[in-house]
Amino acid sequence: MSKEVTIMGKTRVAGTETEDSGNLQPISVDNFGRVLTYPYFIRNLISTGSASLTGGTKTSLIATPGAGLYNDLIMLYGQNTSTVAITVTILDESTTVDTFSVAASSRFNRDYTVPIPQSGANTAWYVDLGDDNNSTVTVNALAVKNK
């Protein structure tokens, strides 16, 4: 004899705060019983940032998320508009977390299937280039806020 069990979850509208009414909602699963989820988070918990760099000056890419919060990096994309290849460095405050080359006059896209966790709460993400002052690179970023 099989019995049906309904699992309910509390409605979330942002982070760990629940909707005033505290409504319970059913959890959706597929044919194999795996929980269906939206990849990443509620819309207001996605952070974005952008920087355009010429030369080797560390520049803020994603601003600090707020006290007790982390911005975990999920995607980078942009372009190198110069005529030479350039190395791009992504930093979590002052720690290098990713370095990659971008060919001359080309675009790039880096999807992190597993988000890169930010090392400290309420810190910024930065981007830096080599010391080639003739290269202009635009970097856009997406991150998810976590506690």
Side-chain angles (χ1 to χ4, degrees):
M1 172 194 289
S2 74
K3 293 183 179 182
E4 185 178 310
V5 175
T6 301
I7 298 173
M8 306 293 273
K10 200 165 242 191
T11 303
R12 303 280 184 188
V13 292
T16 58
E17 297 176 26
T18 60
E19 190 176 62
D20 288 342
S21 62
N23 294 331
L24 294 178
Q25 300 294 323
I27 295 174
S28 299
V29 297
D30 67 13
N31 291 344
F32 297 107
R34 296 177 292 211
V35 176
L36 301 176
T37 61
Y38 181 78
Y40 305 120
F41 282 87
I42 299 167
R43 183 178 220 173
N44 66 341
L45 294 180
I46 295 176
S47 299
T48 61
S50 182
S52 183
L53 295 90
T54 301
T57 302
K58 183 173 103 169
T59 303
S60 178
L61 181 59
I62 300 177
T64 60
L69 298 176
Y70 300 82
N71 274 326
D72 295 338
L73 195 61
I74 59 173
M75 176 190 245
L76 296 172
Y77 61 97
Q79 65 181 349
N80 176 4
T81 59
S82 72
T83 58
V84 297
I86 193 77
T87 299
V88 176
T89 302
I90 305 299
L91 302 103
D92 175 2
E93 279 300 319
S94 58
T95 303
T96 298
V97 297
D98 195 6
T99 302
F100 55 94
S101 294
V102 181
S105 302
S106 68
R107 296 179 181 272
F108 65 90
N109 187 48
R110 295 180 74 79
D111 290 310
Y112 301 106
T113 305
V114 175
I116 297 176
Q118 196 163 39
S119 64
N122 200 28
T123 57
W125 285 99
Y126 292 89
V127 60
D128 199 0
L129 303 179
D131 290 328
D132 177 1
N133 291 321
N134 296 318
S135 297
T136 299
V137 176
T138 300
V139 180
N140 302 290
L142 293 173
V144 292
K145 291 181 186 172
N146 282 306
K147 278 195 167 196

